[in-house]
Amino acid sequence: MTSPALRERKDAAEPAAACSSDDLIELLFFAYRDFVGDPDRILAEYGFGRAHHRVLHFVDRYPGLTIAELLDILRITKQSLNRVLKDLIGQGYIAQRPGIQDRRQRLLTCTPSGAALAADLTRVQARRLARALASPEDAAAPESFLMAMIEPDERAVVRRLMARRGGGAA
């Protein structure tokens, strides 16, 4: 016998079953490509990459973040973080100061230009999310949301590619 709560969870999951997990994974790849592609174009103008974006994002939202906290959030090596921080600090986008309690700590904050760049990057991603969430398609279906995250002029290409695999999101 199935509990009402379990039946309710199963019923809630059934509409997503219309799209195979392979389709969802593939759509997620394309949605991610376009979601990060917007800021990638902006970052390229500065000679920065996605690692710079992630550091700016978290330092901007959590001023005073320590190196150890940032390493824990990003799950990257200290060597990778040091390279990215060197760029961002050297070009004036992030500032560091010693900790108040422990002077060995380095507390990170965005400079005004770093905060402005982080805001520009967030703005283009928020615009893409808002467009996808406002999509006239069935927004409750994960495949519709992911398809809406993909550039409009790329959607037909993605549909055709997925249809080639058979049973795709065509």
Side-chain angles (χ1 to χ4, degrees):
M1 187 184 284
T2 308
S3 74
L6 186 58
R7 272 194 309 271
E8 188 175 312
R9 274 193 305 233
K10 184 181 176 198
D11 291 344
E14 284 182 20
C19 190
S20 77
S21 60
D22 283 349
D23 288 346
L24 288 175
I25 290 167
E26 197 160 326
L27 285 170
L28 186 57
F29 278 118
F30 285 114
Y32 177 74
R33 176 198 66 189
D34 290 347
F35 181 70
V36 297
D38 297 328
D40 282 353
R41 286 183 283 283
I42 295 169
L43 290 162
E45 296 172 18
Y46 296 84
F48 294 155
R50 290 182 187 160
H52 296 85
H53 182 192
R54 290 189 296 270
V55 169
L56 271 172
H57 175 87
F58 286 105
V59 171
D60 182 54
R61 277 146 191 83
Y62 303 99
L65 201 61
T66 67
I67 300 287
E69 290 170 323
L70 191 53
L71 284 168
D72 190 48
I73 290 167
L74 298 175
R75 296 188 179 162
I76 60 174
T77 66
K78 193 180 278 191
Q79 182 180 9
S80 295
L81 179 59
N82 284 338
R83 179 188 54 79
V84 170
L85 275 178
K86 182 181 177 190
D87 292 343
L88 291 168
I89 291 168
Q91 293 185 40
Y93 293 97
I94 288 184
Q96 62 180 347
R97 59 180 165 71
I100 297 166
Q101 310 284 330
D102 182 350
R103 309 255 325 138
R104 294 172 296 176
Q105 283 185 325
R106 291 187 299 167
L107 306 179
L108 305 171
T109 56
C110 278
T111 64
S113 58
L117 178 55
D120 287 345
L121 299 171
T122 297
R123 194 172 8 268
V124 296
Q125 288 185 310
R127 198 173 343 179
R128 182 174 295 278
L129 282 173
R131 186 185 74 219
L133 291 169
S135 175
E137 299 174 30
D138 179 14
E143 64 273 16
S144 296
F145 171 77
L146 292 171
M147 188 60 77
M149 287 286 292
I150 297 168
E151 282 293 327
D153 59 339
E154 290 288 321
R155 292 177 193 159
V157 173
V158 169
R159 283 187 180 102
R160 281 193 302 275
L161 178 66
M162 291 177 70
R164 283 180 36 195
R165 197 184 74 236

